[in-house]
Each structure stands twice: as structure tokens, then as C-alpha cells.
Amino acid sequence: VRRPPKEPDLPRSLAMAKGAETVEAAAGASAAVSNERRAAVDERSGLGWWIVRLACVALAVYVAYNIRLYAIKEYGLVIHEFDPWFNYRATEYLHEHGLYAFLHWYDYMSWYPLGRPVGTTIYPGMQMTSVAIKDVFDAIGYEMSLNDICCYVPAWFGVSASLFVGLLTAECSGSRNAGAFATLIMSCIPAHIMRSVGGGYDNESIAVTALSMTFYFWCRALRSTSACIPFGILAGLSYVYMVAAWGGYVFVLNMIGVHAIFLV
């Protein structure tokens, strides 16, 4: 005798289904809570890293400026070495006589006995920068002599060079932490300090900043098509400033040219 199939226990099946839904809902809620906690931890850790980065950059700025002021603290606001003294004389002449006279200046006190056509044998970027700073200070009513400005320019640009090296490192590596620590390293590296110490009023003191600016804006312009034009223009202007500041501009041009070839 065949028995009829047993009818399913509907209440029990419904209870099991509801239980499974409850377990899935609980698991989903637990996952959501875990994600929220993880996001909160990531946010706190991200904030912590930002504090570390800012502290590192602040330390780098302090170290870069303080180290380069050693000669000024020790000996006062004095221009030292030979080339810086001529650079200071040229800055005085530019400030007193203007750019046109400066570019046509024949200095009989240099390259004795023939003299020197300064306008065609000098990179005037540093002199023009110092005179521009002097004019800005005079315009806002801040009293500072041209000699003092020329003494401080290497230290000021030593700080800015460190910051741009940090930006360049962050742009090339994709790591803000690397950029912060690169700023700290650049602030106290001896090869940079020796060319940007306070009172050492020479072309390299501002040329390293111009070089770093050019490389940073060039790399930044390559990141996306939306920002290529403004950053490309800034890279070009930085390179023009580099050419006006130092004869080593050819190295910058060669590096950018080689990089462009590899990109193509």
C-alpha cells in the first residue's frame, strides 16, 4: 500500500526562513558596524599622519632657516666671499640706477684693466629678486636695508628650495610621507647648506629654488590633462627664472628634454 506524500510543515519552514533572514540581517548589521569602525580608525590614523607630516615640514623649515643663519648670528649681517661682494655691488647699482642702466653698465672696477660689460656677462635674476623684495618692503613700510636683504636671501631661498624638493618628491613617489621627509632631508643636507648660508649672496642660493620649481611644475603638469596648461605655464616661467639666475640652467633643459624623449 503506497502512502500519500507527507505534507511539509509550513509553520516550521517559515520559522526557519525567518531565522535565516534574521541571521543575514544580523551579519549585515555587524559588517556595517565593522566598516564604520574601520572608517573611523582610518580617519583617526589619517589625521595622525597629517599631524606627523605637518610637524616634519615645520621642523624642516625651522632647521633650514636656523642652520643658514649661523654666520649671521656669529658675525652679523655681513656679505662674505668674493663673488657675493660683486653681486651686492651689482644689486646696489640696479637699485639706484634702474634696469636699463644696469643692463648697459660697463664696470671699470672689474676685470682690470679692461673692465666688464656687466649687462651681457651677468645672470641678473638674483639682483632683480633682491631689488623686488626691497621695493615690496618699502611699499608696505617695512624698514630693511638692501645689505640686510642680500644677507637673508640665501636663507629664505634655502627654505623655499627645501619645500619644493618635498613637493617634487611627493609628486614623483605618490607618497606624502616621502615628501615630508624629503623636505627635512633637503633642509640640512650639507651640499645645499654650503651654497645657501646667510651672507653667501651667490647665484646658487636662489638657483636651487628655481631648479626645484621647474622640475616640480613640469612633473605636476604631466599628471592630468586638466591641469597641464596652468602648471606647464608655471614650469616655463620657473625655467625662465632659472635662466636669469644661474648658468647651470642648461642641466635643467637637458633633463627635461631627456624625460620628454622617454615619455614619447
Side-chain angles (χ1 to χ4, degrees):
V1 178
R2 296 182 60 182
R3 295 179 179 179
K6 187 178 181 180
E7 294 293 333
D9 191 357
L10 293 179
R12 186 178 179 184
S13 300
L14 291 174
M16 292 177 63
K18 289 182 179 179
E21 292 178 358
T22 304
V23 171
E24 291 179 359
S30 177
V33 171
S34 299
N35 290 335
E36 290 178 0
R37 289 178 178 175
R38 190 178 297 111
V41 171
D42 292 342
E43 184 178 356
R44 287 196 297 270
S45 62
L47 179 60
W49 273 113
W50 271 109
I51 294 174
V52 171
R53 294 179 195 125
L54 292 176
C56 187
V57 172
L59 177 62
V61 171
Y62 173 78
V63 169
Y65 192 62
N66 203 44
I67 289 178
R68 286 162 177 78
L69 290 186
Y70 173 79
I72 293 177
K73 293 178 180 178
E74 192 73 15
Y75 305 108
L77 292 165
V78 178
I79 302 288
H80 53 82
E81 300 181 31
F82 297 104
D83 287 349
W85 269 109
F86 171 77
N87 292 330
Y88 175 63
R89 281 187 58 239
T91 306
E92 279 189 320
Y93 191 93
L94 175 61
H95 183 250
E96 294 173 0
H97 299 88
L99 182 60
Y100 181 83
F102 176 78
L103 295 177
H104 295 81
W105 176 32
Y106 199 92
D107 182 20
Y108 290 98
M109 296 179 65
S110 302
W111 295 358
Y112 182 83
L114 298 178
R116 175 181 180 178
V118 177
T120 57
T121 60
I122 194 175
Y123 294 96
M126 183 173 62
Q127 286 79 11
M128 296 170 68
T129 300
S130 300
V131 171
I133 294 173
K134 173 65 175 174
D135 292 341
V136 170
F137 282 178
D138 291 342
I140 63 177
Y142 184 76
E143 293 294 332
M144 193 172 190
S145 68
L146 189 62
N147 175 84
D148 295 353
I149 291 174
C150 293
C151 288
Y152 279 110
V153 158
W156 292 338
F157 279 83
V159 174
S160 62
S162 301
L163 293 174
F164 273 105
V165 167
L167 290 173
L168 176 62
T169 304
E171 180 65 29
C172 295
S173 66
S175 171
R176 296 187 179 94
N177 297 337
F181 283 104
T183 306
L184 182 59
I185 293 171
M186 186 64 177
S187 68
C188 57
I189 194 169
H192 185 216
I193 293 175
M194 66 182 293
R195 305 308 302 173
S196 58
V197 68
Y201 186 59
D202 211 348
N203 296 78
E204 293 89 344
S205 60
I206 68 169
V208 177
T209 296
L211 180 148
S212 304
M213 288 171 57
T214 304
F215 285 148
Y216 168 68
F217 289 130
W218 165 258
C219 293
R220 181 63 182 83
L222 297 175
R223 186 201 297 182
S224 62
T225 56
S226 61
C228 63
I229 294 179
F231 283 104
I233 293 174
L234 290 174
L237 294 176
S238 300
Y239 180 67
V240 170
Y241 185 49
M242 175 73 190
V243 172
W246 187 40
Y249 67 88
V250 65
F251 302 115
V252 179
L253 181 62
N254 290 342
M255 289 297 295
I256 292 180
V258 170
H259 188 216
I261 290 174
F262 277 103
L263 291 176
V264 172

